[in-house]
Amino acid sequence: MSKHQEIKATEARFPLEKLILSPMNPRQDVPEKDIKDLAGTLWAKGMIQSLAGYTEDLDGAEIVAGGTRLRALQYLAETKPDFAKVRPELASPLVMLAPDRETAADWAKMENVVRKNLPPALEIRTFGEMRAEGKEVSAIATNFGVTEKHVYRRLALADLPDPVLDALAAQEISLSMAACFTISDDEQRSLEVLEQARGANWSDHRLKDALKPESVTTSDRRASFVGKETYVSAGGKLGGDLFTEEDLFDSPEILNQCFETALAEAAEVIKETGGWHWATPVLGSYVETWSGEFSKYERIRKVPGELSEEQDARYDELKALYREDELSEEAEAELDGLQDILNGQFTEEQKAHAGVFVYVNREGVLTVETAYVKPEDQQSAIEAGVLKPSAASAAPKKEKPAFSAKFVSDMVAIRLAATQTALLRKPEYLLDLFGFHVSPASGSRDILGLGHGWAQPNTPEISDNFVLDPRLGGERDEAAEQMLAELREMASKGQVEAFAAFREAGKKLRNGEITAFLARRFLTQKKPLMDVIMKDVGASVREVWTPSQTNCFKRLNSNQLTGILQTVLRLPDDSEALAAFKNLKKGKKAEQLHKLFNDADYQEKTGITADQKKCVDAWVPACFED
C-alpha cells in the first residue's frame, strides 16, 4: 500500500482573502483568458471540486492544487457586486488540507501531471523528481492513475541531459526522438547530435546511427554468432536501447576480433572433423567464387551413391506416401537417409585435395560451402582423378563483373526500400497490387510475400547514409503502439472483444496497419514490372540513400570513380578538372566524391552549378540487372 493510500485528509472552509497561492503550485503563470473563462463557469455552475492546500500555522491556507480556480474566484470577488452575499459557498471555498508538507508537494505534482494536454517533458521531469525523493514506481503509478510500465518508460527518459528534455518541451524533437538519446552515455556527443536534429524530424534509425555510428545491434550476424558473453569477456562494452530492449555492441573492434577468432576456430574444427585438405574462413556473409581471389578455384561434386534393389523399391514406396502427405516422422527420416545415399558424398580422395569455405550468413548461422580445389592443387587433383583436365584448363576465363555481388545486393535492398517507402504514401496503389497478386491476372505469386515472416531484405549490409522508414521496420507511433498493446492484452482474454475494440479504434489504425504490412511485404524485383511500379509511385533510391565513401565509392574501382565525376559534373573529355581527378589515387578520389555528394559547404566552395547539383542529387549506380 502506498503512503498516499493511507493518508487521512481533512477539509475546511476559508474566506477567500485568507487563501494564497503556494510556491509549490506548478502553475504560477496562467493566461488571463483562462481565468476569465473559468470564472464564468464557476459563477454559472458552482465549484464541484475542492481546492487542495496546506495550512501549517498560517492564518488561512496555501493552495497547492487548484491555482487557476483560486484566481477565478478572486476575479469574481473583484468583479461581482455583493459576491459574498450572493455566492457564499464561492466566497468561502472548501479546501482539502494535506496532513504534512511532503504530501502537499505530491499533490502539487499530481495536479500538474494529470491536467489536460500535459507535455511529455513535464511528466518525465515530475516522475524523475518523485523518484529522487524516494517514491516507489508503484506509488507514482497509483497516484497518477497510470500503469507502472508507463512510469518506467518515462523514468527511462528522466536522466537525459536537460537540453534534450528542453528540446522535447519546446517540441523541437518528438518523444520518439528523445527516447533514442537513451542509448548514448556520451553527453557531449548527445548534445552535438541534438543540435543537428532539432526541428529536422529525423527517423529513429538515423538518430541512433548518429548517436552511436559504430555500434552494432544484437541482430547483426557477427553479434549473433559471437554471442554477448564472449564479447563481454573479451572486454567489449554493451550499451542499451531501453525502449526496444535491445543491447548494443559499442566496441566494434573487439566484436570484429571476436568474430574473426571464432570463425577461424570453427573453420579449423570443420577441417579436422571433416577430413578436408583446408577450410578457409570468409568474413563476408557469402562467398564470391565467381570473382576475385577465389575465381580460379575449381568446384568438385559429391560422388553419387546407388541403392540396392530392395532400397530402390522402398524409396519409391516412401516417395509415393510423401506425395500423398501420409508419411510418418520415422518414415520421413528413412526417406531422407535413402535420399542422402543418392545425393552421394565426398570421398576421402576428394577431401585430400579439396577444401571448404566457412562463413556466417546474414542470419548469423555458420555455413559451409563445399567443395573446391585451389589453383596450386589442381594438377595433383587431376592426376588423382579428382578433377577433370577440362575443368582446370579448358574452362573459359570468367569476366569480372563491373560491380561486386555484395554491392549489387546492397543496392537491390536499397531500391526495394525506396519503392516500399513510396508505396507507404500510396495505400490505394498497394491495394491494387494486393488484388493483382491474389488474382489469376498476375500469373504468379511473386509480387508480395504474404507467408509468415516472408519479407525481402530491404536494408543494405553497409547501412551508412541509409534511412529506412520506421514503419517498414515494424515501428509505429506511440499512440498506435499503446492502442495495439492494449488490444493484444485484450485478445489474450478474448478475440471477440479485441476485434470489436479494434474496429471501434477507427479506420486510421486499420488502414495504417494494412498499408505498412503490404508495403513491407512488397518484394518483386522483376523488370519491367518493377520499373513501372517505381515510376507510378514516384520511388527514388536517393530518398532513402546517399552515396558515401563507405557505402559506395570505396567499393568501386578508380575508373568508375572518374566516370562518376565526369557524369554528374558533365565534364568534357579534355577538361582540366577531369584530368586532375584522373591523376589522384583511388582513396583520394573516393574522399572527394564523398564531399561532393554530402558536404554543402564543399559544393559551394567548388562552385558547382544548379544543373550539376541536380545531377549529383539524382545519381545512382548503374548496377541493376535487366
Side-chain angles (χ1 to χ4, degrees):
M1 179 178 292
S2 72
K3 178 176 180 178
H4 296 293
Q5 290 173 309
E6 300 171 350
I7 289 171
K8 302 293 184 181
T10 59
E11 291 183 328
R13 288 190 177 274
F14 291 87
L16 198 56
E17 60 269 19
K18 291 192 176 183
L19 299 178
I20 61 173
L21 186 68
S22 170
M24 290 185 284
N25 190 289
R27 301 201 70 183
Q28 295 294 319
D29 297 306
V30 181
E32 186 176 355
K33 181 179 182 302
D34 290 358
I35 295 173
K36 291 180 179 179
D37 288 347
L38 182 57
T41 300
L42 294 178
W43 182 256
K45 305 293 184 180
M47 191 167 69
I48 61 174
Q49 183 180 1
S50 63
L51 304 174
Y54 180 60
T55 182
E56 191 192 40
D57 301 329
L58 297 173
D59 185 22
E62 288 185 357
I63 301 304
V64 297
T68 305
R69 277 169 279 152
L70 174 63
R71 292 177 179 88
L73 293 174
Q74 292 170 338
Y75 175 79
L76 289 173
E78 295 172 359
T79 58
K80 296 292 184 181
D82 300 324
F83 173 61
K85 291 182 180 179
V86 177
R87 302 298 295 274
E89 78 284 6
L90 297 181
S92 296
L94 189 64
V95 179
M96 183 170 63
L97 296 172
D100 52 58
R101 194 169 191 81
E102 181 184 0
T103 302
D106 284 350
W107 285 359
K109 294 185 180 75
M110 290 168 62
E111 174 76 3
N112 198 30
V113 169
V114 300
R115 74 175 190 270
K116 188 177 180 181
N117 298 325
L118 174 75
L122 185 54
E123 187 178 46
I124 292 165
R125 281 176 161 146
T126 300
F127 288 178
E129 290 171 2
M130 296 190 72
R131 179 182 62 184
E133 294 167 0
K135 301 294 189 299
E136 297 289 338
V137 168
S138 58
I140 298 173
T142 299
N143 288 338
F144 298 114
V146 296
T147 65
E148 290 188 18
K149 181 179 180 180
H150 180 80
V151 175
Y152 277 118
R153 290 176 73 88
R154 289 294 186 259
L155 288 177
L157 300 171
D159 294 325
L160 288 174
D162 283 337
V164 176
L165 292 179
D166 291 342
L168 176 62
Q171 298 184 343
E172 295 172 337
I173 60 173
S174 66
L175 182 60
S176 176
M177 292 172 71
C180 293
F181 282 88
T182 61
I183 72 170
S184 174
D185 53 7
D186 184 340
E187 183 169 343
Q188 182 178 351
R189 177 65 179 168
S190 294
L191 298 183
E192 290 172 356
V193 172
L194 175 65
E195 291 308 310
Q196 299 173 43
R198 286 181 190 271
N201 194 29
W202 282 13
S203 70
D204 290 357
H205 176 85
R206 182 179 180 185
L207 192 51
K208 289 176 182 178
D209 191 54
L211 288 165
K212 286 193 173 182
E214 302 300 326
S215 290
V216 173
T217 65
T218 51
S219 60
D220 182 273
R221 64 188 185 89
R222 294 165 297 167
S224 178
F225 179 66
V226 169
K228 206 173 0 179
E229 185 176 339
T230 300
Y231 166 77
V232 173
S233 297
K237 182 180 177 183
L238 282 175
D241 187 331
L242 300 178
F243 290 85
T244 61
E245 298 181 354
E246 182 178 42
D247 289 318
L248 295 176
F249 288 63
D250 288 344
S251 308
E253 292 183 1
I254 293 178
L255 176 61
N256 285 333
Q257 290 171 3
C258 292
F259 178 71
E260 291 180 21
T261 299
L263 186 60
E265 291 174 351
E268 185 62 27
V269 170
I270 289 168
K271 174 192 170 186
E272 295 300 324
T273 58
W276 294 102
H277 181 40
W278 53 266
T280 297
V282 177
L283 297 179
S285 60
Y286 57 91
V287 184
E288 277 189 32
T289 56
W290 57 89
S291 66
E293 61 178 311
F294 302 138
S295 61
K296 294 182 180 179
Y297 285 47
E298 291 296 340
R299 190 168 193 176
I300 59 173
R301 306 291 179 178
K302 295 177 179 179
V303 176
E306 292 184 3
L307 299 178
S308 67
E309 289 187 14
E310 182 180 347
Q311 288 175 322
D312 193 51
R314 180 58 174 164
Y315 179 82
D316 291 340
E317 179 185 349
L318 292 172
K319 266 291 189 181
L321 291 172
Y322 177 79
R323 285 191 289 268
E324 297 297 327
D325 198 21
E326 296 178 357
L327 209 59
S328 67
E329 289 186 11
E330 183 179 350
E332 188 170 350
E334 184 183 357
L335 177 61
D336 289 342
L338 294 174
Q339 187 64 58
D340 287 342
I341 295 174
L342 288 173
N343 291 341
Q345 58 185 352
F346 292 105
T347 66
E348 294 304 317
E349 187 70 25
Q350 286 177 313
K351 291 181 179 181
H353 293 84
V356 298
F357 296 110
V358 182
Y359 63 97
V360 175
N361 67 17
R362 282 178 176 265
E363 287 71 44
V365 177
L366 185 68
T367 306
V368 180
E369 183 163 338
T370 55
Y372 293 84
V373 180
K374 292 181 178 181
E376 59 267 31
D377 297 327
Q378 288 170 12
Q379 185 56 44
S380 62
I382 291 172
E383 294 170 0
V386 169
L387 193 65
K388 294 181 180 180
S390 58
S393 58
K397 186 177 180 180
K398 299 174 183 177
E399 184 178 348
K400 185 177 180 180
F403 300 93
S404 72
K406 290 183 181 179
F407 183 74
V408 173
S409 176
D410 274 1
M411 292 308 304
V412 168
I414 291 166
R415 180 177 63 175
L416 180 62
T419 307
Q420 291 175 337
T421 299
L423 283 168
L424 287 171
R425 300 190 290 265
K426 302 281 187 177
E428 291 295 327
Y429 195 94
L430 264 174
L431 289 176
D432 289 341
L433 280 176
F434 175 66
F436 182 62
H437 172 89
V438 299
S439 74
S442 67
S444 66
R445 289 289 188 271
D446 58 0
I447 298 173
L448 303 173
L450 299 181
H452 179 69
W454 188 13
Q456 194 84 352
N458 61 1
T459 301
E461 186 164 323
I462 298 180
S463 58
D464 174 54
N465 271 15
F466 172 75
V467 180
L468 185 69
D469 189 294
R471 289 172 291 177
L472 296 177
E475 298 182 31
R476 302 170 179 86
D477 61 43
E478 187 176 16
E481 284 285 7
Q482 184 173 352
M483 171 64 71
L484 291 170
E486 293 171 1
L487 292 177
R488 275 195 300 270
E489 185 175 349
M490 188 180 297
S492 67
K493 301 175 182 177
Q495 286 188 321
V496 173
E497 293 79 3
F499 178 54
F502 179 82
R503 294 185 65 198
E504 188 177 343
K507 292 184 179 180
K508 181 179 179 182
L509 179 65
R510 180 200 67 184
N511 294 347
E513 288 298 300
I514 293 174
T515 299
F517 173 82
L518 291 178
R520 289 195 298 270
R521 290 302 191 263
F522 176 77
L523 55 77
T524 188
Q525 298 283 348
K526 290 185 176 180
K527 290 175 174 284
L529 181 59
M530 182 64 167
D531 290 338
V532 170
I533 292 172
M534 290 186 72
K535 182 178 180 181
D536 286 348
V537 299
S540 169
V541 167
R542 290 298 299 275
E543 179 182 0
V544 300
W545 177 80
T546 300
S548 74
Q549 191 168 359
T550 303
N551 70 26
C552 181
F553 305 128
K554 277 187 175 181
R555 307 167 80 181
L556 305 180
N557 63 45
S558 186
N559 290 335
Q560 287 172 318
L561 299 182
T562 300
I564 294 171
L565 184 80
Q566 184 172 13
T567 298
V568 298
L569 298 187
R570 299 179 178 178
L571 300 176
D573 292 339
D574 59 355
S575 165
E576 292 183 5
L578 183 62
F581 189 81
K582 284 181 178 179
N583 290 329
L584 296 176
K585 291 184 178 180
K586 178 186 170 182
K588 196 65 177 177
K589 289 181 179 180
E591 181 182 334
Q592 287 195 11
L593 283 175
H594 176 86
K595 291 180 180 178
L596 180 63
F597 277 76
N598 293 274
D599 190 335
D601 291 337
Y602 180 83
Q603 292 175 352
E604 183 177 352
K605 180 180 177 182
T606 53
I608 70 171
T609 66
D611 286 341
Q612 289 173 329
K613 178 71 164 61
K614 286 182 180 179
C615 289
V616 168
D617 292 341
W619 181 85
V620 293
C623 63
F624 299 112
E625 296 181 1
D626 293 331

